[in-house]
Amino acid sequence: MNRRRILRLLGSSAFAAVVADTTRALAAPIKPDDKSALLVIDVQNCFLPGGSLAVKEGEQVVPVINKIAKAFSNVVLTQDWHTPEHVSFASSHAGKKPFELVDLSYGKQVLWPDHCVQGTDGAGLSKDLSIPQAELIIRKGFHKDVDSYSAFTEADGKTTTGLAAYLKARDISTVYVAGLATDFCVAWTALDARKAGLDTFVVEDACRGIDTQGSLAKAWTDMAAAGVKRISSADIAA
Ligand code: VGL
Ligand code: ZN
């Protein structure tokens, strides 16, 4: 083989690496250790088929999450946990419809159908989730006038849920994020995990997005810029 052909082959394999999609497993599967936690975001009835804010294919994340969870000794679950008449509900704003934007004191807020009201069946975790070793459930969005997509910090940008302090106290430095919805609670959680100095992975096929007004593409761009690593469930050792 001549030199030019070798160079051409090298060039094409470099190109193949750049376009490699996340459905291909990494060379070496990841084995989560005791310093790693799986964050399972908002796998709640309201976001599943028949729910008031059903995410397309949302139910498909459940078996994937159940499977990867077996590789983790530390698992934290979250629940979106709104008051009745929460500020994020379109029904709380005269003349507004779901998926419209409003300006609130802390910035722009997408308005949603009523969802995940405290104590309702819709706010319950999917009955098909099977993660008995999960150690903590973080509830968020329980202040009537402030939303909280992130499991770390409310939408005012300052009120914490305590999750960063909990992970620090438990000596956890790496998080894997999965659940619903990719472009809201998963993305905001992953971005705040980076702000908390955590090594952060999002397991793409263990998430599904809402995708309103370009939100899904923007979420992946923002997460990549923040150093969030995008992986597939196949990258995690069974
Ligand atoms: C979520 C919209 C409103 C989510 C929660 O879990 O991604 N999205 N509340
Ligand atoms: Zn919500």
Side-chain angles (χ1 to χ4, degrees):
M1 192 158 34
N2 65 28
R3 196 176 126 86
R4 180 175 287 164
R5 175 151 163 72
I6 292 169
L7 282 175
R8 202 167 348 107
L9 278 172
L10 278 174
S12 64
S13 68
F15 179 70
V18 169
V19 298
D21 66 291
T22 55
T23 56
R24 272 235 300 277
L26 298 179
I30 298 164
K31 268 208 171 301
D33 59 12
D34 286 352
K35 289 178 178 288
S36 298
L38 176 64
L39 309 183
V40 178
I41 306 299
D42 298 2
V43 183
Q44 293 168 269
N45 298 323
C46 274
F47 300 121
L48 295 169
S52 59
L53 181 43
V55 178
K56 190 165 174 258
E57 300 179 352
E59 76 286 1
Q60 293 185 21
V61 306
V62 176
V64 182
I65 290 172
N66 287 343
K67 180 157 184 244
I68 61 175
K70 294 186 200 305
F72 289 85
S73 57
N74 301 305
V75 181
V76 175
L77 310 173
T78 71
Q79 281 178 294
D80 213 32
W81 199 249
H82 298 311
T83 62
E85 295 167 43
H86 191 258
V87 72
S88 73
F89 297 170
S91 61
S92 304
H93 303 261
K96 295 287 176 190
K97 290 201 265 315
F99 306 100
E100 289 183 5
L101 273 176
V102 286
D103 283 302
L104 298 181
S105 58
Y106 55 78
K108 296 227 180 290
Q109 171 73 50
V110 181
L111 296 177
W112 304 107
D114 289 23
H115 65 280
C116 297
V117 173
Q118 298 168 4
T120 61
D121 288 346
L125 293 167
S126 164
K127 65 170 178 22
D128 298 320
L129 265 188
S130 177
I131 318 178
Q133 80 276 28
E135 293 158 337
L136 177 71
I137 299 177
I138 286 273
R139 289 172 168 174
K140 61 186 180 62
F142 50 73
H143 289 125
K144 186 165 182 275
D145 295 319
V146 189
D147 205 359
S148 189
Y149 296 142
S150 165
F152 289 91
T153 308
E154 298 188 12
D156 63 2
K158 51 177 190 260
T159 308
T160 85
T161 64
L163 181 57
Y166 169 85
L167 294 173
K168 189 157 192 257
R170 299 273 332 277
D171 201 24
I172 289 165
S173 51
T174 302
V175 291
Y176 294 78
V177 191
L180 304 170
T182 318
D183 38 350
F184 289 93
C185 294
V186 168
W188 287 52
T189 296
L191 292 169
D192 277 352
R194 292 294 299 139
K195 285 188 195 150
L198 299 159
D199 201 8
T200 308
F201 296 80
V202 169
V203 188
E204 183 170 15
D205 59 322
C207 303
R208 288 295 186 278
I210 293 174
D211 202 10
T212 172
Q213 296 154 47
S215 55
L216 189 57
K218 182 179 186 311
W220 282 118
T221 304
D222 292 350
M223 288 193 281
V228 173
K229 286 168 272 190
R230 180 175 182 171
I231 60 167
S232 139
S233 61
D235 296 326
I236 299 171

